[in-house]
Amino acid sequence: MRKITILLALILLLSACAPAAPTTSPCTTTAPTQPSTAPSSTQTTAPALLPVSFLLYMPDEGWENFVTEEMTLETLEPERIVQALIEKRVLADDVMVNQATVNGSELALDMNEAFLMQVYTMGTTGERMLIGCLVNTFLSAYGCEYVMLTADGEIINSGHGEYSEPLYPFA
């Protein structure tokens, strides 16, 4: 009996010293974004696992109506969306995303000062088209209901409009 007790004590001692098995937790992020290789100020949420298709919104030649083009990205990154809008001549070359965060049906999108400067150079119609292209494209890509848009963490107030409220898809 004594040998069995010693054997059980030894087994318990050895099992207590064994390394613990790694634990995993389920992903609770609802956003299909991926960490960026862009400047460290850019923050996004968890990576998308599959290629993502969405509509890229652009103004027509007269900057009066929206036109769309389907786009597919292997990984959904806000910087890649902005780059596509730059390539389509919607956004200025130096526009960047500071932060993009999804929380439920909201996409909080913080742009850099270059975006703000571009907004300031537009007339009322041009501003509406510029912001509409950005908002509609990001809503299409992320599947959110609305965007809270800021520039360098501040509410955008251009003189033509103040964007302190949620921005829903532009028509």
Side-chain angles (χ1 to χ4, degrees):
M1 181 74 163
R2 185 174 173 179
K3 287 183 180 180
I4 293 174
T5 307
I6 291 173
L7 184 59
L8 286 174
L10 186 58
I11 291 172
L12 287 173
L13 181 64
L14 289 175
S15 66
C17 294
T23 59
T24 59
S25 59
C27 179
T28 57
T29 304
T30 58
T33 61
Q34 177 163 326
S36 164
T37 57
S40 61
S41 64
T42 302
Q43 297 179 5
T44 56
T45 54
L49 300 176
L50 300 172
V52 179
S53 294
F54 59 94
L55 293 177
L56 186 69
Y57 284 77
M58 302 159 287
D60 63 7
E61 289 183 24
W63 278 68
E64 296 174 354
N65 298 298
F66 295 109
V67 294
T68 61
E69 179 179 305
E70 188 169 343
M71 179 169 197
T72 301
L73 294 176
E74 291 300 313
T75 57
L76 187 57
E77 298 177 24
E79 296 80 13
R80 292 179 135 192
I81 297 169
V82 166
Q83 187 58 44
L85 290 168
I86 290 171
E87 290 170 6
K88 295 295 183 179
R89 316 295 279 152
V90 176
L91 296 175
D93 291 340
D94 51 353
V95 170
M96 294 174 54
V97 176
N98 290 333
Q99 183 173 347
T101 307
V102 173
N103 185 13
S105 61
E106 173 187 299
L107 171 63
L109 186 60
D110 186 51
M111 304 300 290
N112 68 348
E113 185 179 358
F115 176 74
L116 186 61
M117 293 298 109
Q118 185 177 3
V119 169
Y120 287 164
T121 65
M122 307 298 255
T124 304
T125 302
E127 179 179 314
R128 179 188 172 284
M129 292 303 296
L130 175 69
I131 291 178
C133 288
L134 181 75
V135 167
N136 288 357
T137 298
F138 271 86
L139 288 177
S140 176
Y142 285 88
C144 290
E145 187 178 334
Y146 61 91
V147 172
M148 292 300 297
L149 182 63
T150 56
D152 285 338
E154 301 292 324
I155 293 170
I156 298 172
N157 186 351
S158 66
H160 300 123
E162 181 178 303
Y163 301 95
S164 59
E165 299 294 322
L167 298 172
Y168 292 87
F170 286 58

